[in-house]
Amino acid sequence: MIQYETKMRYILPLLILLGCLIGCQQTKKSPVTTINPSTETTDTVIAQLLTDLHITPIHHASFIIQWKETTIFIDPVNAAAFNQHLDPDIILITDIHGDHMHIETLDSLHLEKTQLIAPQAVAEKLPAAYTDYLVVLNNGEKKEVGPVIVEGIPMYNLREEALQYHPKGRGNGYVLTLGSKKIYISGDTEDIPEMKALTDIDIAFVCMNQPWTMTVDRAIPAVMSFKPKLVYPYHYRGKEKDSDVVRFKNKLQQKNPEINVVLLDWYPNS
């Protein structure tokens, strides 16, 4: 018995020590769950910006903003796609070109409760049947349309070789005030001073295709000038190198990680 107790006196501390060593090793090897702070922050910012907002891309320049009970169609082109959604309270048309103003799509919509907002150049090309729904809004003008404040923003080309595409004063970009949020829709434009001078923009839809609007490399400093919290590249089909929205996102967020970029599928059938 004495011999057994003597052995245990030495063995028991060894067993305790061995147990501690094994426990420490298991603790070190156990996986640790970490959260990427930048991803968490980005997701939180986007979720906050999109509270009460739903964005539906249709194609190219065409999309839908649903804000609470208000449905806004922007440059509706593609009757079948738009007729799958709620009837519009507001329609915004930016320019006279067929990828922005499309009479056949307008003819297919139920417009009984709609106000159609467009610059004078568009209004002059709309059939007389639209007179009752039409609100003419030109560059620099602002109107309250139901719960939404709509402001016409210039959109035009700067390069000499592109001036014929979008002359200054013809088309409208728009800034929408939806409650506490401000949304900028560029329309067809280059990096014009009026864009760079915008303030307090929460969400921006920015075009970037050549030769009609601006390149990715011109769009990046333009966006950095007015610092929206969230950017959707849209209207970007053009020369592949100049319409690389992934490159736009990566380069912009390298330069200013506080500007969030969301890439949507604006060309689902191509």
Side-chain angles (χ1 to χ4, degrees), residues 96-110:
I96 62 174
H97 293 155
D99 55 339
H100 302 277
M101 182 186 72
H102 194 250
I103 303 300
E104 289 80 0
T105 297
L106 293 175
D107 286 345
S108 75
L109 300 174
H110 300 288

Side-chain angles (χ1 to χ4, degrees), residues 175-186:
V175 169
L176 309 181
T177 302
L178 309 177
S180 62
K181 296 185 178 73
K182 291 177 73 173
I183 298 177
Y184 170 57
I185 300 163
S186 74

Side-chain angles (χ1 to χ4, degrees), residues 33 48 55 120 134 156 167 190 201 232:
T33 302
Q48 290 172 346
I55 310 298
Q120 183 64 41
L134 185 61
Y156 56 93
E190 291 187 60
I201 299 297
Y232 290 92

Side-chain angles (χ1 to χ4, degrees), residues 37-47 253 257 260-261:
S38 61
T39 301
E40 183 184 30
T41 301
T42 297
D43 291 345
T44 300
V45 168
I46 293 173
Q253 294 196 308
N260 300 282
V261 180

Side-chain angles (χ1 to χ4, degrees), residues 75-140:
D75 286 341
V77 176
N78 186 332
F82 277 94
N83 276 289
Q84 295 176 18
H85 297 272
L86 296 172
D87 293 338
D89 298 288
I90 299 171
I91 294 175
L92 303 175
I93 299 180
T94 61
D95 202 11
I96 62 174
H97 293 155
D99 55 339
H100 302 277
M101 182 186 72
H102 194 250
I103 303 300
E104 289 80 0
T105 297
L106 293 175
D107 286 345
S108 75
L109 300 174
H110 300 288
L111 302 181
E112 289 76 12
K113 63 171 186 174
T114 303
Q115 293 195 67
L116 194 162
I117 301 171
Q120 183 64 41
V122 171
E124 291 171 358
K125 292 184 176 296
L126 290 173
Y130 289 95
T131 301
D132 291 342
Y133 312 109
L134 185 61
V135 176
V136 175
L137 187 75
N138 291 308
N139 293 177

Side-chain angles (χ1 to χ4, degrees), residues 184 186 190-192 195-198 201-208 214-233 248 252-253 255-256 258-261:
Y184 170 57
S186 74
E190 291 187 60
D191 48 336
I192 57 175
M195 176 196 293
K196 295 177 180 179
L198 292 170
I201 299 297
D202 295 291
I203 300 171
F205 292 84
V206 178
C207 64
M208 53 192 76
M214 57 184 160
T215 65
V216 166
D217 292 325
R218 294 282 289 271
I220 289 169
V223 169
M224 289 178 64
S225 295
F226 68 96
K227 300 180 181 66
K229 296 176 182 138
L230 178 60
V231 180
Y232 290 92
F248 168 80
L252 176 60
Q253 294 196 308
K255 293 176 179 290
N256 188 339
E258 293 184 0
I259 301 177
N260 300 282
V261 180

Side-chain angles (χ1 to χ4, degrees), residues 156-166 190 211 213 218:
Y156 56 93
N157 287 105
L158 296 169
R159 293 166 296 126
E160 186 68 31
E161 67 274 18
L163 294 179
Q164 75 274 17
Y165 297 132
H166 307 100
E190 291 187 60
T213 64
R218 294 282 289 271

